Amino acid sequence: MLRASPPPPARWRAKEPSWWGPTNWRDAWRDSHAETAEKTRLYSGVRKWTSVLLGEPKTSIWWHDGTLPKAQARENGKTERLACPNRPKATQQGMDHPRCIMRWPAACTAYAFGIGDRASGGWENAWGLPIDAVEHGCRVHAYDPTVKLRSRHVNRAQKVWPHGNVSFHYAGLGNGVHVNSSKNSYGKIDVTTLATFAELVRTNPASERVPGVLQIGELASNMHALVPVPCLLPPSLGVPSQIAKGANGAPLSR
Amino acid sequence: MSNDPEAVQLLSNTAVLLLDVHLSPSMMPPTLWQFVNLFDFLFETLGMRLGWIRSVDGYPGDQSVADFLGVAGLPAGFCCYELALLSGRKQLAEVTS
């Protein structure tokens, strides 16, 4: 579970000097220490997890088999690290993502949030996980709350998977508290369709509620659903302004 | 999800988690708090481990990174990272109880 954030020392700054007494000083001192400790944790955490993204040798412990894959050179001079022996060489970047899955779960149910609409690679690029999951015998639930993509996705799912292996749901991940944004990379989203992960899963048949494979695309717009920002957190710790306000634009109360 | 015991339980049964993490300022990057707590949650709370990482170039206008990530050493040139996380080894009893 996420740890609770410390109370914001900013609440002390609003007090008049004449208000301060020994107890208040002590409490403010404690709160300031807590805030500094939290910032220290966050900044050391950024270095730690950034080193994982960079593939530094000491980060091998965070890999599944305890081994850091070799960096692979790409044609444009950049590198990537893949523990992906099944990767097809002839596919475009982005299309082979699910194909790196070495072992698909038995009795598999796959959930794909944020289907989207890729500019390159055709519809197969956006629907990469459902395509591969069905090939491996999975039942798939696909979600996207983007208004302008709704009919396209509904038609696609019905046309390509007429036997119902893939169900498209016009819905998106929310955190059940407040709305992060009414847009994603593809345009306006229908915020009335947002629900928590558990709520969305609960609407499906009981036998399909264990997400053996889960894809969360568009993590930017889904981040608030994964790690909800506590409303108590002060802006100095990085709460985006659109999150610090309620759905109607009013500041969230403490 | 991370503060919902039911969602945590569901995630603990997930064998493969595919994430597309956007880190460019032009693509709604995570905040400092979100970035750290996302990784803490996935790796330490759920005990998931990496299956692969792939950097994604993105469009030229999306190839810088958020300031706090650049300061921490993450290079520009990629908009995003695709991560595949494989099921964790940690018992989740203490976080779902």
Side-chain angles (χ1 to χ4, degrees), chain A residues 36-139:
Chain A
T36 300
E38 172 69 354
K39 285 185 175 175
T40 301
R41 181 185 77 83
L42 292 175
Y43 281 103
S44 69
V46 170
R47 285 192 295 273
K48 172 181 172 182
W49 298 124
T50 298
S51 70
V52 172
L53 293 179
L54 291 171
E56 293 179 4
K58 65 183 178 185
T59 62
S60 60
I61 59 168
W62 301 110
W63 285 79
H64 188 63
D65 57 2
T67 306
L68 185 70
K70 286 182 180 174
Q72 300 176 11
R74 290 195 357 222
E75 62 282 357
N76 58 2
K78 296 173 182 176
T79 60
E80 60 188 0
R81 291 177 194 276
L82 297 166
C84 181
N86 298 335
R87 185 187 188 199
K89 291 180 180 174
T91 53
Q92 295 180 36
Q93 183 184 7
M95 290 188 70
D96 52 345
H97 195 180
R99 295 179 195 173
C100 285
I101 298 175
M102 288 153 273
R103 281 181 302 183
W104 289 77
C108 165
T109 301
Y111 280 75
F113 291 98
I115 295 296
D117 184 24
R118 305 276 176 90
S120 60
W123 71 272
E124 296 94 338
N125 198 352
W127 286 84
L129 176 65
I131 291 170
D132 282 278
V134 168
E135 285 178 5
H136 288 85
C138 299
R139 175 76 170 89

Side-chain angles (χ1 to χ4, degrees), chain A residues 5-230:
Chain A
S5 59
R11 69 187 169 112
W12 301 106
R13 298 185 191 121
K15 303 295 184 186
E16 294 294 328
S18 59
W19 177 84
W20 291 96
T23 305
N24 302 328
W25 277 106
R26 195 164 52 242
D27 290 349
W29 185 253
R30 180 203 63 210
D31 288 356
S32 296
H33 272 277
E35 184 183 78
T36 300
E38 172 69 354
K39 285 185 175 175
T40 301
R41 181 185 77 83
L42 292 175
Y43 281 103
S44 69
V46 170
R47 285 192 295 273
K48 172 181 172 182
W49 298 124
T50 298
S51 70
V52 172
L53 293 179
L54 291 171
E56 293 179 4
K58 65 183 178 185
T59 62
S60 60
I61 59 168
W62 301 110
W63 285 79
H64 188 63
D65 57 2
T67 306
L68 185 70
K70 286 182 180 174
Q72 300 176 11
R74 290 195 357 222
E75 62 282 357
N76 58 2
K78 296 173 182 176
T79 60
E80 60 188 0
R81 291 177 194 276
L82 297 166
C84 181
N86 298 335
R87 185 187 188 199
K89 291 180 180 174
T91 53
Q92 295 180 36
Q93 183 184 7
M95 290 188 70
D96 52 345
H97 195 180
R99 295 179 195 173
C100 285
I101 298 175
M102 288 153 273
R103 281 181 302 183
W104 289 77
C108 165
T109 301
Y111 280 75
F113 291 98
I115 295 296
D117 184 24
R118 305 276 176 90
S120 60
W123 71 272
E124 296 94 338
N125 198 352
W127 286 84
L129 176 65
I131 291 170
D132 282 278
V134 168
E135 285 178 5
H136 288 85
C138 299
R139 175 76 170 89
V140 179
H141 292 280
Y143 297 80
D144 195 323
T146 312
V147 175
K148 73 176 184 184
L149 298 178
R150 180 180 188 177
S151 60
R152 195 185 310 174
H153 286 336
V154 169
N155 293 336
R156 180 75 62 194
Q158 289 175 346
K159 181 181 174 185
V160 180
W161 297 284
H163 303 298
N165 316 56
V166 176
S167 297
F168 173 73
H169 305 264
Y170 180 57
L173 276 177
N175 63 18
V177 180
H178 48 251
V179 176
N180 181 31
S181 173
S182 59
K183 287 169 48 174
N184 62 21
S185 299
Y186 308 106
K188 187 179 175 186
I189 63 172
D190 186 345
V191 296
T192 65
T193 70
L194 302 184
T196 68
F197 181 47
E199 288 168 344
L200 292 171
V201 168
R202 236 182 275 135
T203 63
N204 295 325
S207 61
E208 299 170 9
R209 292 180 190 166
V210 177
V213 178
L214 171 61
Q215 181 178 44
I216 303 179
E218 274 284 306
L219 190 59
S221 51
N222 286 321
M223 182 68 81
H224 66 294
L226 263 171
V227 280
V229 176

Side-chain angles (χ1 to χ4, degrees), chain A residues 1-2 38 41-43 45-46 48-50 52-54 61-64 74 76 78-83 87 93-94 96-97 100-101 105 119 129 173 180-181 197-198 201-202 209-220 223-230 233 237-238 240 243, chain B residues 1-8 10-11 13-23 27-45 48-57 59 63 68-69 72-75 77-78 81-84 86-87 89 95:
Chain A
M1 290 296 176
L2 293 177
E38 172 69 354
R41 181 185 77 83
L42 292 175
Y43 281 103
V46 170
K48 172 181 172 182
W49 298 124
T50 298
V52 172
L53 293 179
L54 291 171
I61 59 168
W62 301 110
W63 285 79
H64 188 63
R74 290 195 357 222
N76 58 2
K78 296 173 182 176
T79 60
E80 60 188 0
R81 291 177 194 276
L82 297 166
R87 185 187 188 199
Q93 183 184 7
D96 52 345
H97 195 180
C100 285
I101 298 175
L129 176 65
L173 276 177
N180 181 31
S181 173
F197 181 47
V201 168
R202 236 182 275 135
R209 292 180 190 166
V210 177
V213 178
L214 171 61
Q215 181 178 44
I216 303 179
E218 274 284 306
L219 190 59
M223 182 68 81
H224 66 294
L226 263 171
V227 280
V229 176
L233 209 64
L237 287 186
I243 295 178
Chain B
M1 293 182 190
S2 55
N3 61 353
D4 178 355
E6 191 178 347
V8 172
L10 288 168
L11 285 171
N13 290 316
T14 297
V16 182
L17 174 59
L18 305 170
L19 293 177
D20 184 9
V21 186
H22 295 183
L23 300 179
M27 298 178 75
M28 290 175 65
T31 64
L32 166 66
W33 192 91
Q34 286 176 320
F35 179 83
V36 173
N37 284 298
L38 171 68
F39 281 83
D40 282 355
F41 172 62
L42 296 173
F43 285 94
E44 295 185 339
T45 303
M48 300 190 107
R49 291 293 180 270
L50 277 167
W52 69 88
I53 291 179
R54 187 166 66 191
S55 54
V56 180
D57 297 10
Y59 290 109
Q63 293 186 347
F68 70 90
L69 294 167
L74 201 68
F78 305 107
Y81 287 82
E82 293 176 351
L83 309 181
L86 308 179
S87 60
R89 292 174 283 202
V95 294

